[in-house]
Amino acid sequence: MLLVLLVVGGMCLGLFIAMAGVGVLYGTGVLMQVTDVMARPQNHPEGWGVLMLMQGIPLLLGFGGGAWALLTFTSLRRDAASRLAWRPFSATWLLAAIGLIIISVPAMSILIAWNAGLHLPPFLYSWEKAARLYEDQAQTLTTFLTRFSSFERFLVAVVVVAIIPAIAEELTFRGVVLRQLSRWTNSVHWGVWLSAAVFSAIHVQFFGFFPRMILGVMLGYLFVWSGNIAVSMAAHFAQNFAQLLLLYLQQRGTIQFDADANEALPWPLALVSLLLTAGLLYWLYQRRAELAAPPVAEAHTLTSHGVEVRRPAPPVAGHTLTSHGIDSAEPPRA
C-alpha cells in the first residue's frame, strides 16, 4: 500500500532530522550515544529532550507527511469523497467535539478498567504475560515522558503528545484509511469501525485496545458527520491534552487523585456520562453534513456563433393512454 511506503519514508526522514537536532542541541557526544539514551533515558540528563525529539518529528513527517502527500498528489485529491475532508463547518462542531470527549470520560473509565484487567484463556497465558511485560515497559517510558519538572516541559509535551498526534494520526486514519476502507467495503460504517480497529492496533497496546477503538469510532463519525477533518483533530487533541493537564495538575499537587490510573469511576457517574454521550452523538448525527449533490453535466459544442453550452433538460411527466384518457405521471422525487 502506497500509504505504508510514504509513512515509512517520512519516518526515516523524520529520524534523520531528529538526530540532526539532537546533535545541534545536545552535541555530538550525546548523538553518538543516542541509542543508549533512548534505551535508558532516565540515566541521562538529556534523555527527556532526546525522546521528545525522536518521537515528535518522525510522527509528524511519517504519519502526517505521508498522509498529506497521499491526499495531495494521488487520486484521493480528485475524487468526490476527498471534498469530505475540508468542507466548511461551524464553530459549534469544534465545541461539541471537545465536549463529547470530556463528557465521555466517566463512561470510558468503565471500559478502560475492564480492558486493563482482561485475562485471556489459559492456552494464551504466555502471550498475555509477554504483552503485559511489553506494556509495563511502555508505561515506564510514558511515565518518564510525562514527568513535568517545569511548565516549559509541559508545553513541549502538549506539542509532541497532543498537537502532533492529533494532526498526523487524523490525517492518516480518518483522512486516508477511513475513506479507503469505506470505498472498498462500499459502506461508511465499515470504514469507520475498521479504521478505528487499525488505529487502535497500531498503538500496540492490547490491554487498552477496546477503549482506544471506541475513541477511534467517535473520531471517525465526527469526521464523517461534520465533513471536516479539523473536527476530529480537535477532539483528538482534547483527549490527549486533558490527560496531560490532569497529570500536570497532579504533579503540582492541585488535584489529589491518580490521573494515570486505570480505575473505573462510580457507576452512577458513568451511567450519566453514557447517556449524555449518546445524546450528544445523536444531536450531532441529526446535524450531519450531506454529501454535495453531483454537478449537472454540461455539453460544450463549438458552433459558428462560439461555444454553445447545453444542459440536460429536467425530467418531464410521462403520459400514458388509458381507458379514462391520458394519464400524466409526475417523475419520482428524491
Side-chain angles (χ1 to χ4, degrees):
M1 189 177 182
L2 181 57
L3 175 63
V4 175
L5 295 177
L6 290 172
V7 168
V8 172
M11 292 192 74
C12 291
L13 176 62
L15 283 172
F16 176 79
I17 294 175
M19 291 184 70
V22 169
V24 171
L25 294 175
Y26 301 107
T28 55
V30 175
L31 180 60
M32 298 300 294
Q33 306 179 64
V34 69
T35 303
D36 186 66
V37 173
M38 293 183 65
R40 290 178 289 272
Q42 64 276 7
N43 296 339
H44 301 269
E46 309 87 356
W48 191 89
V50 170
L51 279 182
M52 283 296 180
L53 278 174
M54 300 298 286
Q55 288 205 10
I57 297 178
L59 177 61
L60 179 62
L61 296 184
F63 284 89
W68 177 83
L70 196 66
L71 289 168
T72 303
F73 300 111
T74 69
S75 61
L76 274 178
R77 180 179 181 270
R78 297 186 295 272
D79 66 25
S82 68
R83 292 195 295 269
L84 183 67
W86 307 110
R87 192 172 300 125
F89 65 98
S90 67
T92 303
W93 274 98
L94 290 180
L95 296 176
I98 294 172
L100 178 68
I101 295 300
I102 295 174
I103 67 174
S104 67
V105 168
M108 290 289 284
S109 72
I110 302 295
L111 186 58
I112 291 171
W114 170 80
N115 198 171
L118 186 66
H119 290 286
L120 300 177
F123 68 90
L124 292 175
Y125 173 75
S126 58
W127 187 91
E128 177 184 341
K129 183 178 179 180
R132 289 193 181 278
L133 178 61
Y134 171 82
E135 293 191 18
D136 288 344
Q137 293 172 344
Q139 182 58 42
T140 301
L141 181 61
T142 301
T143 301
F144 175 77
L145 287 175
T146 54
R147 188 181 303 149
F148 308 125
S149 58
S150 65
F151 182 68
E152 289 74 17
R153 277 198 173 192
F154 171 71
L155 292 180
V156 172
V158 168
V159 174
V160 175
V161 181
I163 296 177
I164 290 179
I167 295 172
E169 293 179 4
E170 289 308 300
L171 282 174
T172 297
F173 295 104
R174 258 57 67 179
V176 176
V177 176
L178 185 154
R179 284 163 47 198
Q180 288 284 35
L181 290 174
S182 296
R183 289 207 293 182
W184 292 344
T185 61
N186 199 30
S187 168
V188 69
H189 301 293
W190 276 110
V192 167
W193 284 86
L194 289 175
S195 64
V198 175
F199 165 70
S200 186
I202 207 73
H203 287 81
V204 197
Q205 188 183 7
F206 175 76
F207 297 101
F209 177 86
F210 292 104
R212 188 173 281 108
M213 187 181 76
I214 295 302
L215 172 64
V217 169
M218 290 196 295
L219 294 174
Y221 279 118
L222 284 172
F223 167 58
V224 171
W225 293 343
S226 69
N228 197 301
I229 202 168
V231 175
S232 61
M233 285 181 178
H236 197 148
F237 168 78
Q239 167 74 22
N240 293 354
F241 176 75
Q243 293 178 336
L244 290 176
L245 181 61
L246 289 175
L247 287 169
Y248 178 69
L249 294 177
Q250 176 194 349
Q251 292 169 22
R252 288 177 56 88
T254 307
I255 59 176
Q256 301 302 320
F257 65 89
D258 186 358
D260 208 24
N262 291 325
E263 298 177 0
L265 294 175
W267 275 96
L269 181 60
L271 181 59
V272 172
S273 169
L274 180 62
L275 294 175
L276 291 175
T277 300
L280 183 53
L281 282 171
Y282 180 74
W283 184 81
L284 291 172
Y285 170 76
Q286 292 294 97
R287 285 150 183 81
R288 67 193 183 281
E290 298 294 342
L291 290 176
V296 177
E298 296 180 346
H300 297 77
T301 306
L302 182 62
T303 68
S304 59
H305 304 289
V307 178
E308 180 183 352
V309 179
R310 296 178 180 176
R311 295 180 175 86
V316 299
H319 297 82
T320 305
L321 181 63
T322 68
S323 58
H324 305 289
I326 296 178
D327 179 26
S328 177
E330 295 291 335
R333 297 182 180 179

